[in-house]
């Protein structure tokens, strides 16, 4: 086993998860910084991780013990034999990154994989997960792994990226059990994870190879006769009947007839109490004789089919009926589920116990008792259900149960245990929906509830698909419209685009029209217009103005004039459509729209109104007003339901705007707070996008080591995401150049400069953030002989809405003053108007005037401003200047 962590190490780990520095941890725990460093080093060793940021991610995921394997099956029986194969599997895991246990169904691959994973966990300090793929269908392999790891999607973060981010934090082991029915998808997933996570090993059980390069196969044979096979039989027979006694020759014959197949041996042994060893052998001979004419297939499968057949034949009628019907469940099921397909609850409870005693059903113990059928046994049960002509009836019952269970769980969203219960039944809910027919009340109820549940569970892309399905299955136009609206909200935060949002809202408007819902139609059309104008970057090509004008006219004509929500939505659409440019609303109409939204009690609508007003202020150059308005949006976030897709777009947009506007006004504490809150919100999570927002205020406040750590994580997450369009990372990457230079790490500076050039794609020379960084570094290094071209560049770059333009101008003006350039006073004057809206820039210019005129008053003013901003490096630099005078 991996080393355990001490109580003090657990406290340090929790503090790392809270993003505290070593000094802050020392202060909180009343220990020295050196002691904190020692504990961090110990944690890095025990978890096999490279840096404190990986430890912080682990702490935030809720795991506290090294080597924890999520989902590892716990068996109530002993593990018999397999010493050589167990050693072979462990050796293969050490030597190869992908190991596949190959063998037929019932040979014991799953049990061996579980035992091997438990023994190997000491090699994987970051732990991992054991993922049962039996209930998983095509398209859900990554989802099953994510659920086992406790990973969810964030806004615009694909699920596989989230999984890779979790597995990529250190040395991890991922077990994919029973891959054969999803072999292609499992192979593709394993290959992507291995490529993205160098420290991860994958152990697979399957009836066939994955076919991935460098795959190491370990064939798993039946138990050897004359030793392990007989030992297993005795062990299981004694568990069923402590008084069991048998002639060794009879047991040997039984095991030989069963080809040493563990599952067949266990099923036969469970009957030992009722039939005795001789009776078992006779029954088995009869069953094998019945199958003697079957051609093809593995002989071992024939013996397993034989033992299943006579085990089934020995059941009474009620036991057979329930057993057949339980085959409809692809995953584990609770008592309510079993009763839904099997009949009276009390009777089902008794029958389940009897089936467990006969080893045909496995009892899965936990907070809620659940049961399951092994894959091979379930296949047999399904065949019997079909032969009995019960499939349609049983699947109809399964569908009704699924709809009821999903609806009941939906009501419980927010309860501490709802996620666990949903995860347990999710595969069956999906299968029930996929097997359902056309529109109907039950199918629609299931699809709608599943859409909501998966959104709340942060399966965002899946939720989007279920909303579309629910709309198609709806029995009324009004229901379809509601599903489409929710799907539009989901599309805002999934990896789909705002183009989908626009189209879904138009579909919702059509359904509302069919339902005679003029109010809903007006709101849908107005929201579609607002979406196209407010988020124009997501539309390729943009929607023509004439079309948007026509949609708005339709909305005006449809909407009741006395409805506050309709009035507000129409006012927002007018404001955005009438703006001077896409993405810029008309200022007066934006003010009118904000007043209209305030007349409603809807925080989402009010936030939309504030966004319009804030964006108008931004385009007018009133940055402080835009920042103030956005802080009001932040204050609305606690009143928005994170589990309602309707709120999603405003939540995500607010965090992004809040970070950007705070930097634009030099409100560094505000930018830090907004960035950290965004990372902490499970709708956004810690992704490359949210990390990039945090890097920037960390650098501006002088927290250089923290900034570099988050920048490394940002880049790592971006790489795992497949390197999407990178230009938005330029500010964070460029600011990391500044951080690296300020702590005098020359190699890191060169590396991050190269990354900035790559990200900029030829646009680095015109980027205000790059001009700012170069000017600020020239100041830091006192390279005044190179000042003039850097100053000219800082004043040549021009992008009025770029948040770093004011920083570039201020730093350029200070560099001119420090270098005593002849036009320094003019440059100071030229930079002043922009700096009036930015506290950091204003402090920078005060310091520049202090440099230029040897004015201690100006330097003191700058010092006070930087202290108020908690800009540590700028404070120290200003203090040093004051000390020189």
């Amino acid at each position: 086993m991996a080393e355990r962590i001490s109580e003090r190490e657990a406290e340090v780990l929790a503090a790392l998860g809270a993003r505290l520095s070593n000094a802050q941890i020392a202060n909180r725990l009343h220990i020295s910084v050196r002691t904190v460093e020692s504990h961090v080093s110990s944690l890095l060793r025990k978890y096999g991780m490279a840096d404190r940021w990986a430890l912080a991610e682990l702490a935030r995921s809720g795991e506290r013990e090294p080597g924890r394997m999520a989902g590892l099956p716990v068996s109530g029986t002993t593990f018999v034999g397999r010493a050589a194969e167990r050693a072979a599997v462990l050796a293969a895991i050490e030597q190869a990154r992908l190991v596949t246990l190959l063998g037929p169904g019932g040979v014991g691959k799953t049990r061996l994989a579980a035992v091997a994973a438990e023994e190997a966990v000491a090699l994987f300090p970051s732990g991992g997960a054991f993922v049962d793929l039996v209930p998983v269908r095509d398209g859900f392999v990554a989802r099953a792994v994510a659920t086992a790891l406790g990973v969810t999607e964030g806004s615009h973060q694909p699920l596989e990226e989230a999984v890779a981010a979790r597995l990529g934090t250190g040395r991890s082991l991922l077990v994919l059990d029973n891959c054969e029915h999803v072999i292609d998808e499992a192979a593709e997933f394993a290959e992507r994870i291995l490529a993205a996570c160098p420290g991860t090993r994958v152990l697979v059980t399957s009836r066939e190879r994955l076919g991935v390069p460098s795959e190491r196969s370990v064939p798993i044979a039946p138990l050897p006769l004359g030793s392990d096979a007989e030992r297993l039989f005795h062990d299981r027979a004694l568990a069923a009947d402590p008084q069991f006694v048998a002639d060794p020759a009879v047991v040997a014959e039984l095991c030989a007839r069963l080809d040493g197949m563990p599952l067949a041996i266990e099923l036969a042994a469970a009957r030992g109490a009722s039939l005795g060893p001789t009776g078992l052998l006779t029954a088995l001979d009869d069953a094998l004789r019945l199958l003697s004419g079957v051609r093809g297939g593995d002989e071992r499968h024939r013996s397993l089919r034989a033992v299943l057949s006579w085990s089934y034949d020995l059941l009474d009628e009620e036991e057979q009926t329930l057993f057949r019907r339980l085959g409809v469940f692809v995953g584990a099921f609770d008592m309510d589920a079993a009763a839904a397909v099997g009949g009276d609850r009390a009777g089902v409870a008794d029958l389940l116990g009897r089936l467990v005693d006969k080893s045909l059903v496995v009892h899965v113990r936990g907070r809620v008792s659940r049961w399951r059928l092994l894959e091979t046994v379930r296949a047999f049960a399904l065949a019997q259900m079909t032969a009995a002509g019960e499939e349609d009836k049983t699947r109809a019952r399964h569908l009704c149960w699924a709809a009821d269970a999903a609806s009941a769980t939906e009501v419980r969203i927010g309860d501490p245990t709802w996620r666990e219960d949903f995860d347990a039944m999710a595969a069956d809910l999906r299968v029930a929906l996929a097997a359902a027919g056309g529109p109907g009340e039950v199918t629609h109820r299931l699809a709608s509830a599943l859409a909501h549940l998966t959104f709340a569970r942060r399966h965002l892309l899946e939720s989007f698909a279920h909303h579309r399905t629910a709309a198609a299955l709806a029995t009324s136009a009004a229901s379809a419209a509601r599903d489409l609206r929710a799907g539009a909200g989901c599309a805002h935060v999934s990896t789909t685009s705002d183009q989908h949002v626009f189209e879904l809202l138009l579909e919702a408007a059509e359904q509302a029209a069919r339902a005679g819902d003029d109010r809903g139609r007006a709101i849908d059309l107005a929201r579609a217009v607002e979406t196209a104008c407010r988020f124009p970057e997501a539309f390729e090509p943009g929607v023509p103005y004439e079309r948007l004008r026509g949609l708005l006219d339709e909305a005006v004509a449809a909407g009741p004039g006395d409805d506050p929500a309709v009035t507000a939505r129409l006012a927002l659409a007018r404001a955005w459509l009438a703006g001077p440019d896409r993405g810029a609303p008309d200022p007066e109409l934006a003010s009118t729209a904000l007043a209209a939204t305030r007349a409603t009690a809807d925080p989402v609508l009010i936030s939309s109104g504030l966004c319009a007003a804030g964006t108008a202020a931004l385009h007018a150059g009133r940055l402080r007003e835009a920042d103030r308005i956005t802080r009001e949006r932040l204050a609305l976030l606690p009143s928005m339901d994170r589990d309602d897709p309707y709120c999603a777009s405003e939540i995500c947009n607010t965090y992004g705007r809040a970070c950007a506007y705070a930097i634009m006004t030099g409100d560094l504490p505000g930018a830090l707070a907004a960035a950290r809150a965004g990372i902490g919100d499970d709708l956004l999570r810690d992704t490359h996008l949210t990390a990039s927002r945090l890097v920037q205020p960390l650098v501006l406040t002088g927290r250089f080591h923290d900034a570099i750590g988050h920048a490394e994580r940002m880049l790592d997450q971006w790489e795992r995401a497949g390197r999407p369009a990178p230009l938005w990372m330029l500010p964070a990457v460029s600011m990391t150049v500044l951080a690296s230079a300020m702590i005098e790490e020359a190699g890191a500076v060169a590396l991050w400069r190269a990354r900035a050039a790559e990200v900029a794609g030829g646009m680095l020379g015109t980027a205000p953030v790059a001009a700012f960084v170069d000017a600020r570094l020239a100041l830091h290094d006192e390279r005044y002989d190179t000042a003039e071209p850097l100053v000219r560049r800082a004043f040549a770059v021009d992008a009025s809405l770029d948040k770093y333009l004011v920083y570039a101008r201020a730093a350029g003006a200070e560099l001119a003053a420090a270098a005593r350039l002849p036009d320094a006073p003019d440059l100071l004057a030229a930079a002043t108007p922009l700096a009036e809206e930015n506290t950091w820039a204003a402090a920078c210019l005060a310091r520049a005037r202090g440099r230029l005129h040897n004015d201690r008053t100006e330097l003191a003013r700058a010092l006070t401003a930087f202290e108020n901003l908690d800009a540590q490096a700028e404070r120290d630099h200003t203090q040093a200047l004051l000390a020189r005078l």
Side-chain angles (χ1 to χ4, degrees), residues 683-768:
L683 196 58
L684 280 79
R685 299 181 60 81
D686 188 359
T687 66
H688 48 283
L689 177 60
T690 53
S692 75
R693 293 171 181 165
L694 182 55
V695 167
Q696 300 168 63
L698 284 174
V699 176
L700 289 170
T701 56
R703 292 166 170 81
F704 302 128
H705 290 284
D706 283 1
I708 292 168
H710 280 284
E712 291 287 1
R713 284 182 50 73
M714 171 193 72
L715 204 68
D716 182 57
Q717 290 168 335
W718 176 67
E719 292 279 0
R720 295 182 199 284
R723 301 168 64 90
L727 191 56
W728 57 266
M729 283 202 308
L730 180 59
V733 174
S734 296
M735 294 299 282
T736 310
V737 173
L738 176 58
S740 301
M742 295 294 276
I743 59 175
E744 300 181 351
E745 292 188 357
V749 172
L751 177 62
W752 283 101
R753 281 197 181 278
R755 289 169 173 168
E758 178 188 3
V759 165
M763 299 174 62
L764 195 60
T766 60

Side-chain angles (χ1 to χ4, degrees), residues 205-296:
T205 76
S206 179
R207 298 179 190 179
E208 60 178 299
R209 285 172 51 88
L210 266 61
V212 173
S214 303
E215 178 181 11
R216 175 80 63 86
S217 297
V218 179
I220 307 303
L223 291 173
L225 300 174
S227 57
D228 289 347
E230 289 80 2
R231 285 176 54 208
L232 178 64
F233 184 92
H234 273 292
D235 184 87
R236 300 305 191 256
L238 286 171
D241 178 11
Q243 306 301 317
F244 180 82
V245 178
D247 182 345
V250 174
V251 173
E253 177 65 15
L254 273 167
C255 291
R257 299 294 278 153
L258 294 170
D259 301 307
M261 290 292 283
L263 178 56
I265 290 172
E266 294 199 14
L267 288 169
R271 285 292 184 175
S274 58
L275 295 180
T278 305
L280 284 175
L281 189 56
T282 301
L284 181 59
D285 282 338
D286 290 343
L288 286 168
R289 196 174 302 111
L290 289 173
L291 291 176
S292 62
V294 177
R295 297 189 174 210

